Amino acid sequence: MSESALSTRETHALRRVRFLAKIMDEAVTIPGTNVGIGLDSVVGLLPVSGDLVTAAISLYAVGEAVRLGADRHVIGRMLFNVAIDFGVGSVPVLGDVFDAVWKSNVRNANLLEKHLNSR
């Protein structure tokens, strides 16, 4: 199902979540690869505080899902993605590489879109 099958409110919320995912996870493509990184990977370089900041920003998508009435299973999976990103992302060096691969914000945007389109 496409965005056109969604209400205006849902469409706008999904676009905001997708924009956040792009900025946080895929803003810049690493030259010579197809790998995108975003602010999550860059800000995450700051030990602990960077990961706290990016986790707080990532919770915006979860809030949008709650406002749109997503079920507890979807909310739980989204929170799990943020928790994994925060937990593993907090590990020096390994966490920075993990942030570039895990892309919790893109995962959460996909979960929200799938939920909205399945109703």
Side-chain angles (χ1 to χ4, degrees), residues 57-96:
I57 293 169
S58 295
L59 289 174
Y60 172 79
V62 179
E64 285 285 9
V66 169
R67 281 187 287 282
L68 293 173
D71 61 47
R72 289 188 296 174
H73 178 72
V74 172
I75 301 300
R77 287 184 62 195
M78 292 175 82
L79 288 170
F80 175 78
N81 287 337
V82 174
I84 291 294
D85 187 43
F86 173 73
V88 178
S90 296
V91 177
V93 183
L94 171 65
D96 302 317

Coordinates of all heavy atoms in Angstrom, one line a residue, residues 57-96:
I57 N 16.8 11.2 20.5 CA 16.3 11.6 19.2 C 15.5 10.5 18.6 O 14.5 10.7 18.0 CB 17.4 12.1 18.3 CG1 18.0 13.4 18.9 CG2 16.9 12.3 16.9 CD1 19.3 13.9 18.2
S58 N 16.1 9.3 18.7 CA 15.4 8.1 18.1 C 14.1 7.8 18.7 O 13.2 7.2 18.0 CB 16.3 6.9 18.2 OG 17.5 7.1 17.5
L59 N 13.9 8.2 19.9 CA 12.6 8.0 20.6 C 11.5 8.8 20.0 O 10.3 8.5 20.2 CB 12.7 8.2 22.1 CG 13.5 7.2 22.9 CD1 13.7 7.6 24.3 CD2 12.9 5.8 22.8
Y60 N 11.8 9.8 19.2 CA 10.8 10.6 18.5 C 9.9 9.7 17.6 O 8.7 9.8 17.6 CB 11.4 11.7 17.6 CG 10.4 12.4 16.8 CD1 9.6 13.4 17.3 CD2 10.3 12.1 15.4 CE1 8.7 14.0 16.5 CE2 9.3 12.7 14.6 CZ 8.5 13.7 15.2 OH 7.6 14.3 14.4
A61 N 10.5 8.8 16.9 CA 9.8 7.9 16.0 C 8.8 7.0 16.8 O 7.7 6.7 16.4 CB 10.7 7.1 15.2
V62 N 9.3 6.6 18.0 CA 8.5 5.8 18.8 C 7.3 6.6 19.3 O 6.1 6.1 19.3 CB 9.2 5.2 20.0 CG1 8.4 4.4 21.0 CG2 10.5 4.4 19.6
G63 N 7.5 7.8 19.7 CA 6.4 8.7 20.1 C 5.4 8.9 18.9 O 4.2 8.9 19.2
E64 N 5.9 9.1 17.7 CA 4.9 9.2 16.6 C 4.1 7.9 16.4 O 2.9 8.0 16.2 CB 5.7 9.5 15.3 CG 6.2 10.8 15.1 CD 5.2 11.9 14.8 OE1 3.9 11.6 14.8 OE2 5.6 13.0 14.5
A65 N 4.7 6.8 16.6 CA 4.0 5.5 16.5 C 2.9 5.4 17.6 O 1.8 5.0 17.3 CB 5.0 4.3 16.6
V66 N 3.3 5.8 18.8 CA 2.3 5.8 19.9 C 1.1 6.7 19.5 O -0.1 6.4 19.6 CB 2.9 6.2 21.2 CG1 1.9 6.5 22.3 CG2 3.9 5.2 21.7
R67 N 1.4 8.0 19.0 CA 0.4 8.9 18.7 C -0.5 8.4 17.6 O -1.7 8.7 17.5 CB 1.0 10.3 18.3 CG 1.4 11.1 19.5 CD 1.8 12.5 19.1 NE 3.1 12.5 18.4 CZ 4.3 12.4 19.0 NH1 4.3 12.3 20.3 NH2 5.4 12.5 18.4
L68 N 0.0 7.6 16.7 CA -0.8 7.0 15.6 C -1.5 5.7 15.9 O -2.2 5.1 15.1 CB 0.1 6.8 14.4 CG 0.7 8.0 13.7 CD1 1.7 7.7 12.6 CD2 -0.4 8.9 13.1
G69 N -1.3 5.3 17.2 CA -2.1 4.1 17.7 C -1.5 2.8 17.3 O -2.2 1.8 17.2
A70 N -0.1 2.8 17.1 CA 0.5 1.5 16.8 C 0.3 0.5 18.0 O 0.3 1.0 19.1 CB 2.0 1.7 16.5
D71 N 0.2 -0.7 17.7 CA 0.0 -1.7 18.8 C 1.3 -1.9 19.6 O 2.4 -1.5 19.2 CB -0.5 -3.0 18.2 CG 0.4 -3.7 17.2 OD1 1.6 -3.8 17.5 OD2 -0.1 -4.2 16.2
R72 N 1.1 -2.6 20.7 CA 2.2 -2.7 21.7 C 3.4 -3.5 21.1 O 4.5 -3.3 21.4 CB 1.7 -3.4 22.9 CG 0.9 -2.5 23.8 CD 0.6 -3.0 25.1 NE -0.3 -4.3 25.0 CZ -0.6 -5.1 25.9 NH1 -0.2 -4.8 27.2 NH2 -1.3 -6.1 25.7
H73 N 3.1 -4.5 20.2 CA 4.1 -5.3 19.6 C 5.1 -4.4 18.7 O 6.3 -4.5 18.8 CB 3.5 -6.4 18.7 CG 4.5 -7.2 18.0 ND1 5.3 -8.1 18.6 CD2 4.9 -7.2 16.7 CE1 6.1 -8.7 17.8 NE2 5.9 -8.2 16.6
V74 N 4.5 -3.5 17.9 CA 5.3 -2.6 17.1 C 6.1 -1.6 18.0 O 7.3 -1.4 17.7 CB 4.3 -1.8 16.1 CG1 5.1 -0.7 15.4 CG2 3.7 -2.7 15.1
I75 N 5.4 -1.1 19.0 CA 6.1 -0.1 19.9 C 7.3 -0.9 20.6 O 8.4 -0.4 20.7 CB 5.2 0.4 21.0 CG1 4.0 1.2 20.3 CG2 5.9 1.3 22.0 CD1 4.4 2.4 19.5
G76 N 7.0 -2.1 21.0 CA 8.1 -2.9 21.7 C 9.3 -3.2 20.8 O 10.4 -3.0 21.2
R77 N 9.0 -3.5 19.5 CA 10.1 -3.7 18.6 C 10.9 -2.5 18.3 O 12.1 -2.5 18.2 CB 9.5 -4.3 17.3 CG 9.1 -5.8 17.4 CD 8.7 -6.4 16.2 NE 9.8 -6.5 15.2 CZ 9.6 -6.7 13.9 NH1 8.4 -7.0 13.4 NH2 10.6 -6.8 13.1
M78 N 10.2 -1.3 18.2 CA 10.8 -0.1 18.0 C 11.7 0.3 19.2 O 12.9 0.7 19.0 CB 9.8 1.0 17.7 CG 9.1 0.9 16.4 SD 7.8 2.1 16.1 CE 8.8 3.5 15.5
L79 N 11.2 0.1 20.4 CA 12.0 0.4 21.6 C 13.2 -0.6 21.7 O 14.3 -0.2 22.1 CB 11.1 0.2 22.9 CG 10.1 1.3 23.1 CD1 9.2 1.0 24.2 CD2 10.8 2.7 23.4
F80 N 13.0 -1.8 21.3 CA 14.1 -2.8 21.2 C 15.2 -2.3 20.3 O 16.4 -2.4 20.6 CB 13.6 -4.2 20.8 CG 14.7 -5.2 20.6 CD1 15.2 -5.8 21.7 CD2 15.1 -5.6 19.4 CE1 16.2 -6.8 21.6 CE2 16.1 -6.5 19.2 CZ 16.7 -7.1 20.3
N81 N 14.8 -1.8 19.1 CA 15.8 -1.3 18.2 C 16.6 -0.2 18.7 O 17.8 -0.1 18.6 CB 15.1 -0.9 16.9 CG 14.7 -2.0 16.0 OD1 15.1 -3.1 16.2 ND2 13.7 -1.8 15.2
V82 N 15.9 0.8 19.4 CA 16.6 1.9 20.1 C 17.5 1.4 21.2 O 18.7 1.9 21.3 CB 15.6 2.9 20.6 CG1 16.3 4.0 21.4 CG2 14.8 3.6 19.4
A83 N 17.1 0.5 22.0 CA 17.9 -0.1 23.1 C 19.1 -0.8 22.6 O 20.2 -0.6 23.1 CB 17.0 -1.0 23.9
I84 N 19.0 -1.6 21.5 CA 20.1 -2.3 21.0 C 21.1 -1.2 20.4 O 22.3 -1.3 20.6 CB 19.7 -3.2 19.9 CG1 18.9 -4.4 20.5 CG2 20.9 -3.7 19.0 CD1 19.8 -5.3 21.3
D85 N 20.6 -0.2 19.7 CA 21.5 0.8 19.2 C 22.2 1.5 20.3 O 23.4 1.8 20.2 CB 20.6 1.8 18.4 CG 21.5 2.8 17.6 OD1 22.5 2.4 17.0 OD2 21.1 4.0 17.6
F86 N 21.5 1.8 21.4 CA 22.2 2.5 22.5 C 23.2 1.6 23.2 O 24.3 2.0 23.4 CB 21.1 3.0 23.5 CG 21.7 3.6 24.7 CD1 22.4 4.8 24.7 CD2 21.7 2.8 25.9 CE1 23.0 5.3 25.9 CE2 22.3 3.3 27.1 CZ 23.0 4.6 27.1
G87 N 22.8 0.4 23.5 CA 23.6 -0.5 24.2 C 24.9 -0.9 23.5 O 26.0 -0.7 24.0
V88 N 24.8 -1.4 22.3 CA 25.9 -1.8 21.5 C 26.7 -0.5 21.0 O 27.9 -0.5 21.0 CB 25.6 -2.7 20.3 CG1 26.8 -3.0 19.5 CG2 24.9 -3.9 20.8
G89 N 26.0 0.5 20.7 CA 26.6 1.8 20.2 C 27.5 2.4 21.3 O 28.4 3.2 21.0
S90 N 27.2 2.1 22.6 CA 28.0 2.7 23.6 C 29.4 2.0 23.8 O 30.3 2.6 24.4 CB 27.3 2.5 25.0 OG 26.1 3.2 25.0
V91 N 29.6 0.9 23.1 CA 30.9 0.2 23.2 C 31.9 1.0 22.3 O 31.6 1.2 21.1 CB 30.8 -1.2 22.7 CG1 32.2 -1.9 22.7 CG2 29.8 -2.0 23.6
P92 N 33.0 1.4 22.8 CA 34.0 2.2 22.0 C 34.4 1.4 20.7 O 34.6 0.2 20.7 CB 35.2 2.4 22.9 CG 34.6 2.3 24.3 CD 33.5 1.3 24.2
V93 N 34.5 2.1 19.6 CA 34.9 1.6 18.3 C 33.9 0.6 17.7 O 33.3 0.9 16.7 CB 36.4 1.0 18.3 CG1 36.8 0.6 16.9 CG2 37.4 2.0 18.9
L94 N 33.7 -0.5 18.3 CA 32.7 -1.5 17.8 C 31.4 -0.8 17.7 O 30.7 -1.1 16.7 CB 32.7 -2.7 18.8 CG 31.5 -3.7 18.5 CD1 31.8 -4.4 17.1 CD2 31.4 -4.7 19.6
G95 N 31.0 0.0 18.7 CA 29.7 0.6 18.7 C 29.5 1.6 17.5 O 28.5 1.7 16.9
D96 N 30.6 2.3 17.1 CA 30.5 3.2 16.0 C 30.3 2.4 14.7 O 29.6 2.9 13.8 CB 31.8 4.0 15.9 CG 32.0 4.8 17.2 OD1 31.0 5.4 17.7 OD2 33.1 4.8 17.7

